[in-house]
């Protein structure tokens, strides 16, 4: 059968014929028995679909899904007890087991990008603000050199290190040896999304997050890595980090823009 | 308006209001469950796939780009999860009506089966690439363009798969005496 008429038959099944095409098809069907049979069969088939009933959703499905949702979209250092509790509950749920394999792989990849560089090349300007740039993610080769900033608040030092992989940005914070510090991270949600925070072994920290801000307090001798997904290519400065002394001993917080 | 509400809910979920996700579930679980059911033809498996879809969507909310419609994004996850399930469950092989779950080789008892079951069985005997276009076009009533965007294939491919799938269904239904050609 001519492709044109075959198309017309299917267009008619879909209800998309123009008046002119209707006339054309009718004329053709009257002169071609095979085509008329095909047309009638496909019409009947289409009618069988439309008479199919809508399936009712299982009544407990919503509750099951709500019960399975993780407590927080952002992993912000839960206490050890609740962490193990959550992990155990998750592992009991077979649906999570396949996902866990994938997640472990992804975290391992991120850990590689977050490995700490011991080289010290702090380049703080006189006013304590250093300009940096987030490159569009498609221009990243494998990873870019780390952008490292040395921070001095009063007599306390810490170090910030930002590194990009293909589509992730990882900020690693090496806390001071003496004083707890507070960090405020501002990131435009259109460009970056906080994925998760890793802490050093045995360490705790407190954090508050929303779509565009992360506030955290870091005890002495703590390192953590904060992973962002780069959502959109940008050449603008995207991540602002403001550091202050958690004990209120410093009168002037320092601001860094990556 | 509807999409604006969806995006406001997404925003609230991202801000830690987990229970707001219940609104998204109320609104969309029916259509997602029906899509999964039409692809899988088993209520328990369809419920599992629906659960996976929403869990995946929730865990990826921060990746949702608000310049797109939230439902399109969710629906795409659902299509992918349904196809993944079907391909995993059946493997990629030559599909034959006699291999389809629930099919019967006994014409006598086949005639006694409800038309709906017959149709489901035959649709499920199609290979996944054909099955999905039938489900999206005839059960979900999407346009060719919408299907092409969801499956990330050219509209021309949608058309050709749909035409082929319809012809296969016709042949199988004729063979089983459900359609009486003419």
């Amino acid at each position: 059968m001519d492709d044109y008429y075959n198309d017309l038959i299917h267009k008619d099944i879909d209800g998309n014929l123009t008046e002119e095409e209707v006339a054309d098809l009718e004329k053709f069907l009257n002169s071609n028995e095979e085509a008329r049979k095909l047309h009638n069969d496909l019409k009947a088939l289409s009618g069988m679909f439309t008479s199919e009933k809508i399936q009712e959703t299982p009544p407990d499905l919503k509750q099951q899904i709500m019960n399975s949702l993780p407590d927080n979209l952002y992993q912000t250092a839960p206490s050890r007890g609740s962490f193990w509790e959550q992990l155990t509950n998750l592992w009991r749920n077979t649906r999570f087991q396949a996902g866990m394999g994938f997640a472990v792989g992804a975290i391992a990849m991120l850990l590689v990008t977050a490995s700490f560089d011991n080289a010290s090349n702090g380049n703080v300007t006189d006013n304590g603000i250093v300009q940096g740039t987030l490159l569009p993610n498609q221009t990243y080769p494998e990873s870019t050199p780390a952008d490292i900033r040395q921070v001095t608040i009063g007599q306390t030092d810490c170090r910030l290190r930002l590194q990009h992989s293909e589509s992730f940005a990882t900020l690693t914070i090496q806390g001071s040896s003496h004083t707890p510090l507070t960090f405020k991270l501002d990131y435009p949600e259109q460009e970056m999304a906080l994925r998760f925070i890793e802490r050093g072994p045995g360490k705790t920290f407190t954090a508050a997050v929303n779509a565009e801000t992360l506030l955290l307090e870091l005890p002495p001798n703590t390192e953590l890595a904060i992973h962002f997904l780069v959502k959109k290519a940008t050449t603008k400065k995207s991540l602002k980090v403001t550091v202050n002394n958690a004990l209120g001993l410093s009168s002037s917080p320092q601001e860094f823009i990556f | 308006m509807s999409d604006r509400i969806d995006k406001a809910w997404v925003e609230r979920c991202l801000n830690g209001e987990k229970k707001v996700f219940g609104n998204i579930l109320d609104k969309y679980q029916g259509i997602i469950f029906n899509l999964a059911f039409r692809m899988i033809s088993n209520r328990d498996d369809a419920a599992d796939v629906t659960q996976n879809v929403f869990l995946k969507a929730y865990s990826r909310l921060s990746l949702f780009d608000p310049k797109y419609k939230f439902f399109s994004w969710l629906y795409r996850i659902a299509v992918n999860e349904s196809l993944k399930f079907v391909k995993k469950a059946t493997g990629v092989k030559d599909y034959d009506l006699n291999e389809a779950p629930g099919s019967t080789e006994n014409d006598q008892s086949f005639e006694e089966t409800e038309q709906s079951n017959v149709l489901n069985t035959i649709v499920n005997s199609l290979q996944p690439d054909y099955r999905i276009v039938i489900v999206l076009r005839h059960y979900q009533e999407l346009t060719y363009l919408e299907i092409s965007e969801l499956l990330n294939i050219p509209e021309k491919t949608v058309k050709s798969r749909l035409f082929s799938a319809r012809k296969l269904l016709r042949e199988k239904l004729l063979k089983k005496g459900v359609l009486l050609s003419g």
Side-chain angles (χ1 to χ4, degrees):
Chain A
M1 189 192 314
D2 190 316
D3 279 351
Y4 169 73
Y5 290 109
N6 190 45
D7 274 11
L8 284 191
I9 289 172
H10 284 276
K11 273 182 89 173
D12 188 36
I13 303 306
D14 291 318
N16 293 333
L17 287 184
T18 63
E19 278 183 29
E20 198 176 299
E21 287 171 332
V22 169
D24 212 1
L25 180 61
E26 274 179 9
K27 196 174 164 188
F28 174 71
L29 294 179
N30 286 333
S31 66
N32 188 316
E33 194 182 344
E34 270 308 300
R36 194 175 64 245
K37 282 181 181 174
L38 173 66
H39 180 258
N40 289 346
D41 287 346
L42 292 183
K43 276 273 186 192
L45 174 64
S46 181
M48 288 168 76
F49 286 117
T50 50
S51 64
E52 284 289 290
K53 288 177 191 164
I54 291 174
Q55 288 287 314
E56 290 296 323
T57 311
D60 54 348
L61 183 60
K62 179 187 171 186
Q63 202 50 50
Q64 277 178 22
I65 295 172
M66 289 303 288
N67 292 343
S68 306
L69 297 179
D71 281 339
N72 199 331
L73 279 173
Y74 307 108
Q75 297 174 14
T76 52
S79 69
R80 197 172 186 80
S82 66
F83 173 77
W84 286 111
E85 206 175 290
Q86 285 175 35
L87 189 63
T88 308
N89 288 340
L90 276 179
W91 193 248
R92 280 182 190 143
N93 187 335
T94 52
R95 291 188 184 96
F96 273 92
Q97 291 179 10
M100 282 296 288
F102 175 78
V104 167
I107 289 170
M109 184 191 79
L110 289 166
L111 281 172
V112 170
T113 67
S115 60
F116 207 84
D117 183 349
N118 287 321
S120 172
N121 69 350
N123 53 354
V124 182
T125 60
D126 288 340
N127 62 4
I129 297 178
V130 182
Q131 299 290 322
T133 304
L134 269 183
L135 300 172
N137 59 14
Q138 65 264 36
T139 66
Y140 299 156
E142 288 297 321
S143 64
T144 56
D147 184 352
I148 300 173
R149 318 291 173 87
Q150 200 73 31
V151 184
T152 303
I153 301 284
Q155 295 183 322
T156 303
D157 295 328
C158 82
R159 192 163 74 156
L160 306 175
R161 176 183 185 272
L162 188 78
Q163 187 164 28
H164 298 284
S165 61
E166 192 174 350
S167 56
F168 278 86
T170 300
L171 177 72
T172 310
I173 302 177
Q174 185 182 40
S176 75
S177 55
H178 301 294
T179 313
L181 296 173
T182 59
F183 298 85
K184 179 172 181 280
L185 275 59
D186 294 292
Y187 47 95
E189 64 150 338
Q190 298 296 320
E191 295 170 18
M192 301 179 83
L194 179 65
R195 298 303 292 152
F196 60 90
I197 303 172
E198 287 174 75
R199 55 190 166 141
K203 303 291 184 184
T204 59
F205 64 94
T206 54
V209 292
N210 64 31
E212 295 189 333
T213 311
L214 166 67
L215 287 168
L216 60 87
E217 185 174 315
L218 200 61
N221 293 315
T222 306
E223 281 182 28
L224 56 80
I226 303 161
H227 302 284
F228 294 91
L229 179 81
V230 178
K231 291 164 75 173
K232 199 170 77 178
T234 176
T235 54
K236 291 186 298 183
K237 297 176 285 294
S238 288
L239 177 63
K240 187 170 89 177
V241 184
T242 310
V243 189
N244 204 356
N245 187 313
L247 304 177
L249 299 176
S250 170
S251 56
S252 53
Q254 290 197 29
E255 191 176 271
F256 299 86
I257 299 172
F258 288 92
Chain B
M1 183 62 182
S2 172
D3 189 50
R4 278 175 57 196
I5 291 171
D6 290 351
K7 284 170 183 164
W9 286 340
V10 168
E11 186 66 35
R12 287 173 64 188
C13 289
L14 287 169
N15 286 333
E17 289 187 68
K18 181 177 157 184
K19 66 178 181 188
V20 174
F21 198 71
N23 299 342
I24 293 173
L25 276 166
D26 284 338
K27 189 169 174 182
Y28 293 125
Q29 66 170 343
I31 191 163
I32 300 297
F33 175 76
N34 270 271
L35 167 69
F37 176 77
R38 291 303 172 197
M39 282 299 288
I40 297 162
S41 272
N42 176 297
R43 285 182 62 84
D44 289 340
D45 288 340
D48 282 350
V49 167
T50 304
Q51 181 164 358
N52 282 344
V53 169
F54 283 102
L55 284 176
K56 193 166 267 188
Y58 184 75
S59 64
R60 292 180 178 181
L61 277 183
S62 61
L63 301 178
F64 167 63
D65 185 341
K67 77 181 175 198
Y68 299 106
K69 280 188 174 178
F70 174 74
F71 176 63
S72 302
W73 179 77
L74 180 69
Y75 203 78
R76 187 189 288 266
I77 296 175
V79 167
N80 289 341
E81 286 296 303
S82 299
L83 273 172
K84 200 165 81 181
F85 181 93
V86 169
K87 286 178 178 171
K88 192 176 172 187
T90 56
V92 178
K93 57 183 179 181
D94 290 333
Y95 284 77
D96 184 276
L97 183 56
N98 291 331
E99 295 175 14
S103 70
T104 168
E105 294 176 31
N106 184 321
D107 284 351
Q108 188 72 34
S109 62
F110 188 87
E111 285 171 10
E112 293 165 1
T113 313
E114 290 178 15
Q115 178 176 290
S116 168
N117 290 339
V118 176
L119 186 64
N120 283 336
T121 301
I122 291 178
V123 168
N124 276 290
S125 72
L126 295 175
Q127 60 169 294
D129 287 345
Y130 286 169
R131 198 186 311 178
I132 188 72
V133 290
I134 288 289
V135 168
L136 293 177
R137 178 70 199 108
H138 287 290
Y139 289 115
Q140 307 281 310
E141 298 182 342
L142 301 187
T143 64
Y144 290 7
L145 179 63
E146 288 167 330
I147 297 170
S148 103
E149 286 171 352
L150 268 174
L151 300 180
N152 203 21
I153 54 176
E155 219 176 315
K156 199 176 162 186
T157 309
V158 172
K159 196 168 117 178
S160 116
R161 285 187 190 171
L162 186 63
F163 289 10
S164 301
R166 282 172 176 164
K167 282 185 178 171
L168 278 170
L169 288 176
R170 179 196 183 218
E171 283 166 20
K172 289 170 188 290
L173 289 167
L174 283 171
K175 197 174 163 189
K176 292 292 175 186
V178 177
L179 284 179
L180 299 170
S181 195

